[in-house]
Amino acid sequence: LENVYWKKLGLLVAVWLIILVLQIGKVRRVPTSIPLHFQFVFQIPVAVAVSSYEAIGLYKGRRKIASRGEVSSNLRVHQLLLYCFLGLLAGIVGGMLGLGGGFILGPLFLELGVPPQVR
C-alpha cells in the first residue's frame, strides 16, 4: 500500500466514475433530447480538464514522467500540446479500429523520446 499514489489513483477513479455515470445516463434518453446532447458534450470538458491538469503539472515540474526516473522533464508547451493531440488522435483511431491505446501510443512515444517503463 505504500507504493500506491493515492492522489493519482483518486483522479483516475474520479474521471472513470464521471464518464461511467454519463454513459449510464444515456441509456434511457430519447435520441434527440437536450440532456442526451449535454451528456455527450460534457465528456469533452472532463477529459480536457484532466489532460490540462496533468500537462500543467509536467510543465511546472511538479510531475515527472515515471519512465524517465529522477530526470526532470523540460517539456515545452508545444510538446505538451502535441502529446495531448496525439493521445486524442490515438484514442480516436483505436476506438474506430477496436485496438488498445498502447498498441498505437507505444511506438509513438518511443519515437518522441519517451522511454518505456520497464520494471
Side-chain angles (χ1 to χ4, degrees), residues 4 7-8 24 34 44 59 61 65 74 83 91-92 105 119:
V4 176
K7 189 175 180 181
K8 292 179 186 180
I24 290 172
I34 298 297
I44 295 169
Y59 180 72
I65 297 174
N74 297 327
Y83 291 171
I92 291 170
L105 286 176
R119 291 183 190 226

Side-chain angles (χ1 to χ4, degrees), residues 5-20:
Y5 296 103
W6 293 105
K7 189 175 180 181
K8 292 179 186 180
L9 182 63
L11 180 64
L12 178 68
V13 169
V15 170
W16 183 79
L17 285 174
I18 290 170
I19 300 296
L20 177 68

Side-chain angles (χ1 to χ4, degrees), residues 42-112:
F42 189 67
Q43 295 176 32
I44 295 169
V46 169
V48 169
V50 172
S51 296
S52 299
Y53 172 76
E54 293 296 330
I56 289 169
L58 281 171
Y59 180 72
K60 290 186 176 183
R62 292 179 300 193
R63 310 264 308 155
K64 292 184 283 190
I65 297 174
S67 60
R68 289 189 178 181
E70 295 298 321
V71 177
S72 65
S73 58
N74 297 327
L75 296 173
R76 296 184 189 95
V77 174
H78 73 276
Q79 288 175 309
L80 291 170
L81 290 174
L82 176 66
Y83 291 171
C84 288
F85 174 75
L86 292 175
L88 175 70
L89 185 64
I92 291 170
V93 170
M96 288 186 341
L97 299 176
L99 302 170
F103 182 74
I104 299 168
L105 286 176
L108 179 67
F109 281 155
L110 285 174
E111 182 65 29
L112 293 171

